[in-house]
Amino acid sequence: MEIHACPIAGVVGALDGTLIRILTPSRAVKIVFNTRKSFYGVTLMAIWDAKKRGLWCRSGVPGSTADSRAFRDSRWYRRQRTAGRRMLAARSRLLADGGFALEEWLLKPYLSEQLNDARKLYNRVLSSARAVVEQAFGLLKGRWRVLHDVVSAETELVPSIVEACVSLHNFLVERDDPWEAVVDAQATQANIQFIDGPAGGAAYDRAWNAREALVAELWDLYGA
């Protein structure tokens, strides 16, 4: 299912991470669970579709880990980067924010210093379509208050609890549960921008050129 109202063809989901608070871990490992927001937590990485269903999730990553690193260390990412084992169908794309690395199949916004009128339009399109992420995380945490507050369990058990909540969330969405979406100011965290390396690698060049082609296409259709 493509993201509603997104004029970019092939967008099937939006990727992001959110922090889940946990009890203080053991002294031996607690430093890696200390987040930028000065509490102990794990990261929940997830891809959401237009109906706010979790297409994929990974939990339990220590909260000090950047979203881009947490994603790149996942089995999903490794398969997507392996010919013959890709997770996405041909010409399918995901949306992400500036905290992730650019890929042909992973679209992210341009940095402020890279903007012109056409790229600003592209950034607005991505920002609008990515609203599904905040809505999905907010709905998930609104349904399961254990995710909104501290998860009162041993650190090792937290991933199973979080992923069970995502599965139950999907179950209810499939059955058109009438729960109202909850606006949750802490559903997602402000990401540090991932600065893509200089063009030169073939994969990076292809990703950059594909994004530039999308910018030109959107500008032709909707630009002034």
Side-chain angles (χ1 to χ4, degrees):
M1 175 181 293
E2 296 192 5
I3 294 290
H4 295 320
C6 181
I8 300 174
V11 173
V12 297
L15 167 71
D16 207 350
T18 189
L19 291 172
I20 306 294
R21 294 173 182 262
I22 63 173
L23 297 174
T24 302
S26 65
R27 181 177 299 179
V29 298
K30 70 179 186 179
I31 189 171
V32 299
F33 289 93
N34 192 19
T35 71
R36 294 186 298 106
K37 295 191 175 183
S38 300
F39 60 78
Y40 296 109
V42 298
T43 296
L44 166 62
M45 300 299 305
I47 298 171
W48 303 97
D49 71 5
K51 291 186 68 175
K52 306 181 188 68
R53 295 174 298 191
L55 302 179
W56 167 83
C57 72
R58 182 191 185 201
S59 182
V61 181
S64 63
T65 307
D67 283 356
S68 182
R69 174 65 180 274
F71 181 54
R72 290 169 71 93
D73 286 347
S74 69
R75 284 182 292 179
W76 193 101
Y77 180 84
R78 290 194 294 272
R79 285 194 59 180
Q80 176 62 18
R81 297 269 293 182
T82 302
R85 301 189 66 204
R86 300 190 191 281
M87 301 295 289
L88 296 176
R91 293 183 292 280
S92 293
R93 299 182 175 106
L94 300 178
L95 305 180
D97 65 16
F100 294 87
L102 180 67
E103 307 271 0
E104 282 188 89
W105 46 267
L106 185 63
L107 302 177
K108 60 176 281 186
Y110 288 88
L111 298 175
S112 58
E113 59 268 27
Q114 297 172 329
L115 292 177
N116 54 31
D117 287 343
R119 291 174 176 177
K120 286 179 182 178
L121 172 62
Y122 165 90
N123 277 8
R124 287 197 298 271
V125 168
L126 259 66
S127 177
S128 177
R130 283 192 67 259
V132 70
V133 168
E134 285 75 18
Q135 295 164 3
F137 278 131
L139 182 56
L140 177 71
K141 290 186 175 183
R143 276 191 169 120
W144 315 116
R145 301 303 290 176
V146 65
L147 303 183
H148 187 78
D149 201 358
V150 177
V151 180
S152 298
E154 296 296 325
T155 304
E156 295 78 9
L157 295 177
V158 172
S160 297
I161 293 171
V162 173
E163 290 167 17
C165 289
V166 175
S167 294
L168 290 169
H169 166 88
N170 286 347
F171 177 85
L172 293 173
V173 171
E174 289 287 352
R175 283 149 184 79
D176 297 318
D177 177 71
W179 185 276
E180 293 292 330
V182 176
V183 177
D184 182 356
Q186 296 185 4
T188 56
Q189 67 221 54
N191 269 299
I192 298 172
Q193 294 284 340
F194 184 98
I195 308 301
D196 295 295
Y204 180 85
D205 286 348
R206 288 195 300 270
W208 180 275
N209 292 335
R211 186 172 60 168
E212 286 286 272
L214 282 173
V215 169
E217 181 180 328
L218 289 171
W219 187 250
D220 285 344
L221 290 172
Y222 306 108

